[in-house]
């Protein structure tokens, strides 16, 4: 199967086989990274990093990935310095940028923006986050991390913890994990669960079992993987209530004492208060390692769509 | 039910949309923007029907529905039938049917969807027909018919 010229817009566009192929290629990239400092596979190619919204890890790891492959990077990280600030449409920006580059990475606050950009561009487009919708390369690196650290995905007990209603990361990940037949527990405060439609869809599509709870202790107790995301204060009308929920969903040394000995804790970062810094030193904390895997996974994707 | 019993005269040319669930005739008329049509139109409400118990019927003179209009009607009245009238006679009778993919028929209700800020028609995959569930091609959100009409 060929990825040449393919857009990577949403995890729902990818088959299990395609994901496995990307993960295999990422493994190769990780090996190559260890063996050699810089590669020249994408020498002469240009990546346009279009970040209409702020990002640290995703933007930098795409830039690092491209440079490690011998390619070059152009782009912007805020619209204040671009023609968009003067009222240029996204369509026009893409039409211009595709002439300058060989591959486009886009993060944009509007949902569906990456798919729209892909319709306009003849060059492959990679979605680096479109509003609250999708963040497929994050899901790919999450699946890569889990597979790398646990040796498999199928049958693993994975707890997704936090605000599941609003984040694009958790939605894409739940879909990917269900596709790989992980056993899922959704742990979220009441009112911040995945939309019912979404849960029903993945249960029907992948015939997977899902447990839903608002009790963090029981939700993570038997998990092999505990994936945490931020609970944003601005989602609550009452600041006191927000703080209370944030605190009750915080992982600290005491909470994780009662988890499996070989459980791993992941987080797409940036974190605020949901994972106490005292956990960083434990064997269970794998979120910084997870962030590193963003580079080989994005190298694999860039190589596959550009060559 | 015969035209005599309906107490509404036949139309010479145009379209009769029949078997609209009772109460939705006005919505169908809105979809067709009958007020913009220079010829006469009739909305019949709560007509006795063997099939539906009660039904609404919309008659529009000198108008042939385009594909978008038919698809939009199919969204709210999936069992409606279209009777195409020429020279007082029904020359064609067909059931509306919802296609797998809708383009430019209704707007995406998600305000943050790119279709609501760039000049592009909203597109939807029809994921389920009963009850209707539409997935926006761009923002991937799923909506019921009441949310899009």
């Amino acid at each position: 199967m060929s990825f040449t010229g393919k857009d990577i817009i949403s995890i729902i566009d990818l088959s299990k086989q395609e994901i496995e192929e990307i993960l295999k290629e990422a493994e190769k990239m990780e090996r190559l990274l260890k063996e050699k400092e810089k590669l020249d596979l994408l020498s002469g190619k240009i990546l346009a990093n279009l970040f209409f919204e702020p990002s640290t890890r995703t933007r930098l790891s795409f830039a690092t990935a491209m440079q490690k492959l011998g390619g070059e990077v152009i782009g912007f990280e805020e619209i204040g310095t671009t023609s968009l600030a003067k009222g240029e449409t996204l369509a026009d920006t893409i039409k211009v940028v595709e002439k300058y580059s060989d591959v486009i990475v886009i993060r944009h606050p509007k949902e569906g923006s990456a798919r729209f950009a892909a319709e306009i561009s003849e060059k492959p487009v990679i979605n680096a986050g479109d509003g609250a919708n999708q963040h497929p390369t994050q899901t790919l690196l999450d699946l890569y991390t889990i597979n790398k650290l646990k040796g498999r995905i199928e049958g693993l007990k994975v707890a997704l913890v936090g605000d599941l209603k609003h984040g694009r990361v958790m939605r894409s990940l739940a879909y990917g994990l269900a596709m790989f037949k992980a056993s899922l527990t959704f742990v979220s405060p009441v009112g911040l669960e995945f939309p019912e439609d979404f849960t029903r869809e993945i249960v029907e599509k992948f015939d997977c079992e899902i447990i839903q709870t608002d009790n963090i202790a029981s939700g993570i107790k038997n998990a092999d993987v505990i994936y945490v995301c931020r609970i944003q204060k601005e989602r609550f009308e009452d600041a006191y209530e927000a703080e209370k929920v944030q605190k009750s969903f915080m992982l600290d040394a005491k909470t994780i004492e009662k988890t499996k000995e070989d459980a791993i804790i992941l987080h797409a970062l940036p974190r605020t208060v949901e994972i106490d810094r005292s956990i960083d030193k434990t064997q269970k904390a794998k979120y910084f390692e997870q962030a590193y895997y963003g580079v080989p996974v994005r190298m694999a994707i860039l190589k596959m769509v550009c060559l | 039910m015969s035209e005599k019993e309906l107490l509404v005269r036949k139309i010479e040319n145009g379209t009769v949309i029949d078997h609209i669930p009772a109460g939705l005739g006005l919505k169908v008329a809105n979809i067709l923007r009958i007020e913009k049509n220079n010829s006469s139109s009739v909305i019949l409400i709560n007509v006795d029907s063997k099939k539906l118990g009660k039904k609404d019927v919309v008659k529009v003179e000198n108008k042939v529905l385009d594909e978008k209009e038919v698809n939009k009607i199919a969204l709210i009245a999936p069992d409606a039938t279209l009777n195409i009238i020429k020279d007082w006679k029904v020359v064609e009778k067909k059931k509306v049917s919802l296609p797998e993919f809708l383009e430019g028929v209704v707007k995406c209700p998600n305000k943050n969807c790119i279709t609501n800020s760039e000049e592009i028609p909203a597109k939807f995959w029809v994921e389920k027909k009963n009850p209707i569930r539409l997935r926006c091609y761009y923002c991937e959100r799923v909506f019921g018919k009441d949310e899009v009409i």
Side-chain angles (χ1 to χ4, degrees), chain B residues 38-95:
Chain B
N38 279 332
S39 309
S40 2
S41 302
V42 181
I43 307 167
L44 297 156
I45 292 174
N46 280 340
V47 179
D48 287 327
S49 158
K50 275 184 198 156
K51 207 164 123 192
L52 301 171
K54 293 279 183 193
K55 66 177 181 181
D56 290 358
V57 180
V58 175
K59 294 181 168 199
V60 197
E61 246 179 348
N62 300 320
K63 181 175 171 76
V64 178
L65 275 51
D66 65 31
E67 196 189 336
K68 279 182 188 171
E69 289 169 327
V70 175
N71 289 340
K72 212 164 171 179
I73 291 171
L75 271 179
I76 60 161
D79 295 317
T81 45
L82 302 178
N83 300 297
I84 318 294
I85 315 290
K86 266 188 192 151
D87 299 326
W88 308 102
K89 283 184 191 138
V90 178
V91 292
E92 195 185 346
K93 201 173 180 119
K94 56 183 178 190
K95 264 193 83 170

Side-chain angles (χ1 to χ4, degrees), chain A residues 97-149:
Chain A
V97 171
E98 70 151 346
K99 301 277 186 283
Y100 299 160
S101 57
D102 301 283
V103 55
I104 295 173
V105 169
I106 179 172
R107 170 170 291 186
H108 193 282
K110 295 283 177 188
E111 284 131 36
S113 49
R115 198 174 296 281
F116 174 55
E119 277 185 336
I120 293 166
S121 170
E122 281 176 25
K123 307 285 169 56
V125 171
I126 300 169
N127 184 7
D130 61 326
N133 184 32
Q134 284 275 335
H135 193 356
T137 65
Q138 178 70 46
T139 303
L140 291 167
L141 89 86
D142 291 342
L143 295 174
Y144 182 79
T145 307
I146 293 170
N147 192 43
K148 173 102 192 162
L149 298 177

Side-chain angles (χ1 to χ4, degrees), chain A residues 197, chain B residues 75 109 131-135 142-149:
Chain A
D197 254 349
Chain B
L75 271 179
I132 288 169
R133 303 302 286 165
L134 306 178
R135 181 188 292 275
V142 180
F143 304 99
K145 71 174 179 189
D146 293 338
E147 292 166 286
V148 292
I149 295 283

